[in-house]
Amino acid sequence: MNKEQIIKKLEYGSTKNPNNRAPYAKKVIVISSGKGGVGKSTVSANLSVALAQKGYKVGLLDADIYGPSIPRLFGIENEKIKWNKNNKIVPHENFGVKVISVGFTTPSEDTPLVWRSSVAISALMQFLEDVDWGELDFLIIDMPPGTGDIQLSMAEELPLFGAILVTTPQALSCDDVSRSVMMFKDVHVNILGIIENMSYFIAPDTKIRYNIFGKNGGKNICKKYNLNFLGQIPLDINIQELSDKGEIPISLGTQSVKNYYKEIVKRVLEET
Ligand code: ADP
């Protein structure tokens, strides 16, 4: 490594001129939300597997440091960090996706990570630089909810291809996601679009549709900020049940569940 490279490595990037800590990835996409619990990790997992099913090489980095749910979604919650002989971390692979998460570093699933954000960010930089990802078509990053240090650091340290935002239709979630829209605009990250999750519920017995969290919240945000609406996913018990068991719905779910995600992935690929 020459002197210039060392200086570059030590320097933080800026959002206008970010570093590239993932040169092995053709496109880095962050999945974010305004608030927790709206289904961001479920979307990240299914989107990653859907891309892998299409033949792309996909890595999924769980950057939701304080609530890492990706290992459970992939049924690999008991796995631990492994190193190869070149001192690189080996990602765990399931459903055709390479996965890394701080969840693999804790002794048990209920161990909380009580980390200052500077420590969390250096762990994430290590996951970008010291994991044996190989060449990737897509690196998908499941971000923590909100507009904080980790979002800012990712925008400074990676030339992000874009951000996908997940919201439920409810006003509370839409208010929070609006702040995320403004943040990504401020840090010069292209917003690929918004996914509305838990959009409605169709009762399996009566087939009556209930708009449990309200209606059209995601679409209205798209209109307001002139963004792409990438699609809706209803509340579906099949998604919840499979997700809890580590069985990715786009791979093992009912046909209608697969179709919701497939429609969204089609629209995402149109943007890439
Ligand atoms: P976040 O990452 O935004 O905190 P998660 O992806 O962990 O949210 O989802 C929160 C919970 O909601 C999980 O139990 C998940 O299985 C469930 N869930 C997410 N999307 C749906 C959906 N469309 N239908 C039913 N359950 C869902």
Side-chain angles (χ1 to χ4, degrees):
M1 204 182 261
N2 63 35
K3 197 174 149 212
E4 267 173 14
Q5 281 170 317
I6 292 169
I7 291 170
K8 170 133 179 55
K9 202 170 164 137
L10 292 179
E11 264 176 10
Y12 285 108
S14 70
T15 58
K16 275 203 174 135
N17 190 15
N19 284 329
N20 186 1
R21 294 191 189 246
Y24 46 82
K26 288 196 190 126
K27 286 174 184 158
V28 184
I29 296 179
V30 294
I31 317 276
S32 207
S33 66
K35 75 199 270 301
V38 298
K40 168 186 56 60
S41 300
T42 312
V43 165
S44 304
N46 283 279
L47 179 63
S48 301
V49 173
L51 291 169
Q53 286 175 346
K54 287 195 170 288
Y56 294 105
K57 294 192 195 84
V58 184
L60 173 58
L61 195 170
D62 182 3
D64 198 348
I65 296 270
Y66 303 105
S69 38
I70 293 295
R72 175 178 285 280
L73 288 168
F74 276 80
I76 50 178
E77 67 274 20
N78 295 322
E79 298 289 352
K80 296 283 166 250
I81 286 274
K82 283 191 300 194
W83 301 77
N84 66 17
K85 51 182 186 311
N86 301 325
N87 254 347
K88 287 272 189 186
I89 299 169
V90 188
H92 292 288
E93 197 164 339
N94 211 2
F95 295 95
V97 174
K98 291 178 177 167
V99 176
I100 204 78
S101 167
V102 285
F104 301 141
T105 66
T106 52
S108 67
E109 255 191 288
D110 57 0
T111 312
L113 276 180
V114 189
W115 283 358
R116 291 190 192 279
S117 60
S118 56
V119 178
I121 287 161
S122 35
L124 292 177
M125 293 307 127
Q126 194 177 17
F127 283 167
L128 288 172
E129 293 185 319
D130 295 344
V131 169
D132 194 9
W133 291 108
E135 294 293 308
L136 296 177
D137 295 309
F138 289 98
L139 176 64
I140 307 291
I141 305 185
D142 182 26
M143 298 290 269
T147 54
D149 237 3
I150 293 180
Q151 277 77 2
L152 183 60
S153 299
M154 288 298 181
E156 288 172 343
E157 301 305 318
L158 291 167
L160 297 177
F161 182 76
I164 293 175
L165 297 172
V166 182
T167 184
T168 64
Q170 101 198 92
L172 262 181
S173 173
C174 290
D175 288 349
D176 284 347
V177 91
S178 302
R179 283 188 274 275
S180 296
V181 169
M182 297 312 287
M183 176 204 67
F184 281 118
K185 283 182 184 283
D186 276 356
V187 299
H188 313 101
V189 174
N190 178 32
I191 300 172
L192 299 173
I194 291 196
I195 297 172
E196 192 187 85
N197 191 34
M198 309 185 184
S199 295
Y200 53 89
F201 172 71
I202 296 187
D205 43 0
T206 60
K207 308 286 175 224
I208 295 176
R209 176 178 167 138
Y210 297 93
N211 296 315
I212 294 177
F213 295 124
K215 212 172 156 192
N216 289 336
K219 273 191 188 151
N220 293 339
I221 299 264
C222 287
K223 264 190 218 138
K224 182 169 172 194
Y225 296 103
N226 197 20
L227 299 171
N228 292 315
F229 186 63
L230 296 172
Q232 291 182 315
I233 307 162
L235 260 175
D236 191 310
I237 194 153
N238 184 242
I239 297 178
Q240 187 274 322
E241 282 179 348
L242 291 185
S243 299
D244 268 9
K245 287 194 287 185
E247 296 176 4
I248 300 281
I250 189 153
S251 188
L252 298 168
T254 58
Q255 195 54 48
S256 52
V257 161
K258 288 181 185 172
N259 290 345
Y260 303 135
Y261 290 112
K262 278 188 181 157
E263 273 300 303
I264 289 176
V265 170
K266 206 171 93 193
R267 291 197 200 114
V268 170
L269 284 172
E270 282 164 11
E271 299 301 315
T272 61

